[in-house]
């Protein structure tokens, strides 16, 4: 197929099972309507008359590719009941290699980068990235290079990632919407920032002997995006350990503190302290007591003297 027929950056991810059902039905209108809905459009964008639109939508319902409770004019993007990757067979891989498309050219490049011949199990995982996650070959090669860099940093020069590791990282790219080289470059810049700023934050938390685990990376990424300076992060950490004790430090507790400050627009320690001072309850100053206790001391003295004389006279 000519390269001019591809449009990088404009890829729709079509589930293999959906494609199989549409091909088996041999219904052009149903396929067009499915693509329109998948792109986020509604039935009216096709400019069909009501009867044609209704017939195509009923066909999708029959194929279990549309929700019968939704009106066709504003139907949501179709979603398969089973959104898991298909179980690819060796025959699927052989056919993909024989087709001579992007996957056939991708395999030798990945083998060259990893320095090994890919097994059938490896090829299935690589094909999953290409077919199910719809990552273009150039993005997959960038992904493999990134995984190689991470593995070498963590385990030493010469160590190479496995295909299961590459597939797991590819799933993250898929969920993050990385489907073009530009998107991959932007994603990698964020990851590199996580590697530098993230380790600085880890040091503030007293963690210097290891890198972050995936769940910690999620918190670090969020805090980096909030763009807090070190002294604010240190204040949040101190309050966390004060409440929970150092041995019971919880990332989620500190995250709650930072999220609250971020929502309130408090980006400096001074702003945080000023806001907290405004929230402190103001107690009324003591008012002068009324009654005898409020009387001048000379009046009290006269009253006592009068009482003493009255007692003597009695």
């Amino acid at each position: 197929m000519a390269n001019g027929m591809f449009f990088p950056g404009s890829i729709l991810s079509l589930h293999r099972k959906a494609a199989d059902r549409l091909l088996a039905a041999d219904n052009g209108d149903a396929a067009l309507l499915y693509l329109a809905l998948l792109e986020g459009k509604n039935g009216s964008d096709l400019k069909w008359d009501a009867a044609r639109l209704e017939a195509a939508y009923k066909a999708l319902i029959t194929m279990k590719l549309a929700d019968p409770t939704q009106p066709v004019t504003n139907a949501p993007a179709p979603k398969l009941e089973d959104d898991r990757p298909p179980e690819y067979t060796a025959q699927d891989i052989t056919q993909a290699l024989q087709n001579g498309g992007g996957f056939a050219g991708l395999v030798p490049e990945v083998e060259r980068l990893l320095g090994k011949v890919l097994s059938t199990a490896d090829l299935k995982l690589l094909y999953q990235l290409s077919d199910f996650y719809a990552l273009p070959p150039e993005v997959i090669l960038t992904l493999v290079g990134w995984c190689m860099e991470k593995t070498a940093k963590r385990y030493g020069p010469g160590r190479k990632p496995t295909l299961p590791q590459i597939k797991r990282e590819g799933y993250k790219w898929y969920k993050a919407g990385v489907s073009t080289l530009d998107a991959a470059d932007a994603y990698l810049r964020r990851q590199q920032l996580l590697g530098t700023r993230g380790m600085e934050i880890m040091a503030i938390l007293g963690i210097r002997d290891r890198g972050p685990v995936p769940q910690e990376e999620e918190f670090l990424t969020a805090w980096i995006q909030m763009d807090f300076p070190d002294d604010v992060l240190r204040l949040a950490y101190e309050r966390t350990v004060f409440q929970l004790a150092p041995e019971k430090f919880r990332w989620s507790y500190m995250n709650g503190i930072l999220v609250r400050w971020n929502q309130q627009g408090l980006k400096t320690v001074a702003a945080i302290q000023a806001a907290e001072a405004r929230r402190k309850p103001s107690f009324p100053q003591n008012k002068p007591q009324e009654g005898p206790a409020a009387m001048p001391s000379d009046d009290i003295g006269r009253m006592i003297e009068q009482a003493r004389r009255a007692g003597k006279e009695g």
Side-chain angles (χ1 to χ4, degrees), residues 226-236 239 257-258 260-276 278-279:
M226 294 178 194
D227 197 24
F228 283 114
D230 286 358
D231 55 350
V232 172
L233 294 169
R234 195 170 291 110
L235 178 62
R239 294 193 177 183
I257 295 174
L258 293 174
R260 183 171 66 252
W261 289 346
N262 186 62
Q263 290 173 342
Q264 296 171 354
L266 306 175
K267 295 293 185 177
T268 66
V269 171
I272 293 166
Q273 293 173 340
E276 292 173 344
R278 289 192 297 269
R279 287 195 296 268

Side-chain angles (χ1 to χ4, degrees), residues 123-139:
L123 289 170
K124 289 179 181 180
L125 293 176
L126 186 62
Y127 190 56
Q128 185 181 123
L129 293 172
S130 175
D131 180 65
F132 184 75
Y133 295 144
L135 298 181
E138 62 272 18
V139 173

